[in-house]
Amino acid sequence: MKILLAPSETKISGGEAPFKLEALLFKELLPYRTKLLHTYMNILQKGDMSELSKMFGLKKEADIKAHIRDIVHEPAMKAIERYTGVAFDHLDYPALESKAKTYVDNHVILCSNLFGFLRADDLIPEYRLKQGAAVGDIKVEKFYHEHGAPLMESYLKDEEILDLRAGFYDKFYKPAKPYTTLKFIKDGKVVSHWAKAYRGIVLREIAKAGIESIEAFMKLPIDGLSIHEIQTKKNKTEIIYNIEL
């Protein structure tokens, strides 16, 4: 089983390992990643505040300038540790026991707006790129869909898929084979902020239990959640959880 997870625009600083673009998932993407990264770095070096504001999704000049850095030569850390935000806070990867961390490293695939498809333990530097923003004339989601989606389909051909990403990331890759997603409702209404939190919570419980199939996952008790309904349309199965808190 593989678990797909969206990234976060916010990231923590630091790292101790060197960044090696060629070491990321799918070596076939190296020339495309190189092109995108060169375009990104050229925009940073040009220093046009208006263009950087759009690309970063930031307005204050001081905040924009803080992200103008030579990321290629910055220290790297595991992608799963680099990203912050609600889902990652609730996963709390650093606090997991070694066995659960190894599970996450081996089972989670992230979808970076800059680097494309990543294993959870792929080493990446700190960077800033707003979801949906273009890098120069490159529409990132179309770029990675064209060059990376076929690689993902092949990579996952023998795997069950649990997709915990936000819907936007279907633009990068949407499974053609059967896959499972989650929806969270509270008082009969679909929630968004709580959904981010519970994606992290669900992943944490899956990792702690070492779940290896969708069938085993559906039997996994998760505090504060109960299965309300399961809907299947075409190749997509959606488990609808009721938040009981």
Side-chain angles (χ1 to χ4, degrees), residues 12-43:
I12 64 170
S13 300
E16 298 180 351
F19 172 52
K20 297 181 180 179
L21 190 65
E22 68 275 11
L24 303 181
L25 178 63
F26 302 139
K27 292 183 178 180
E28 299 94 330
L29 285 179
L30 180 59
Y32 306 108
R33 286 182 170 126
T34 300
K35 176 183 177 180
L36 182 56
L37 194 55
H38 280 170
T39 305
Y40 178 87
M41 293 303 301
N42 286 338
I43 294 171

Side-chain angles (χ1 to χ4, degrees), residues 9 27 40 68 72 76-77 80 136 172 183 221 233 239 243:
E9 288 181 12
K27 292 183 178 180
Y40 178 87
I68 300 175
V72 175
M77 67 170 64
I80 197 69
F172 284 73
K183 181 185 286 186
K233 295 179 181 179
I239 302 173
I243 299 173

Side-chain angles (χ1 to χ4, degrees), residues 129-152:
L129 180 58
K130 179 178 173 61
Q131 177 186 293
V135 177
D137 61 356
I138 299 174
K139 298 288 187 183
V140 179
E141 60 272 23
K142 292 182 179 179
F143 187 77
Y144 278 118
H145 182 271
E146 178 183 355
H147 301 297
L151 298 173
M152 280 288 284

Side-chain angles (χ1 to χ4, degrees), residues 72-245:
V72 175
H73 298 102
E74 294 243 326
M77 67 170 64
K78 286 183 182 182
I80 197 69
E81 294 180 291
R82 176 69 72 191
Y83 294 112
T84 60
V86 177
F88 295 91
D89 288 346
H90 284 81
L91 168 61
D92 197 10
Y93 178 90
L96 290 173
E97 293 183 356
S98 178
K99 189 175 181 180
K101 285 183 178 179
T102 299
Y103 178 94
V104 172
D105 292 349
N106 292 335
H107 290 74
V108 172
I109 305 296
L110 288 150
C111 190
S112 162
N113 290 294
L114 184 58
F115 299 115
F117 308 104
L118 301 171
R119 292 167 292 232
D121 62 348
D122 276 341
L123 304 174
I124 60 170
E126 183 185 2
Y127 68 95
R128 179 84 187 192
L129 180 58
K130 179 178 173 61
Q131 177 186 293
V135 177
D137 61 356
I138 299 174
K139 298 288 187 183
V140 179
E141 60 272 23
K142 292 182 179 179
F143 187 77
Y144 278 118
H145 182 271
E146 178 183 355
H147 301 297
L151 298 173
M152 280 288 284
E153 198 66 24
S154 176
Y155 185 69
L156 298 173
K157 64 182 175 65
D158 297 323
E159 300 280 359
E160 289 188 288
I161 302 170
L162 177 61
D163 190 350
L164 300 183
R165 303 172 302 166
F168 172 82
Y169 291 93
D170 284 348
K171 296 178 181 180
F172 284 73
Y173 165 68
K174 187 174 184 178
K177 59 176 291 183
Y179 68 104
T180 302
T181 66
L182 308 183
K183 181 185 286 186
F184 302 92
I185 60 174
K186 185 174 176 61
D187 300 325
K189 297 179 180 179
V190 177
V191 295
S192 56
H193 177 81
W194 275 105
K196 293 179 182 179
Y198 273 105
R199 287 183 189 122
I201 291 169
V202 166
L203 178 53
R204 181 178 178 81
E205 294 306 312
I206 287 173
K208 287 164 61 178
I211 297 297
E212 293 291 352
S213 69
I214 296 297
E215 181 181 4
F217 163 61
M218 291 175 66
K219 296 175 181 177
L220 180 68
I222 301 172
D223 286 346
L225 294 180
S226 62
I227 294 179
H228 173 74
E229 188 178 0
I230 299 173
Q231 297 180 349
T232 300
K233 295 179 181 179
K234 296 183 178 179
N235 64 322
K236 174 183 173 181
T237 296
E238 185 171 64
I239 302 173
I240 302 170
Y241 280 104
N242 187 53
I243 299 173
E244 298 178 324
L245 299 179

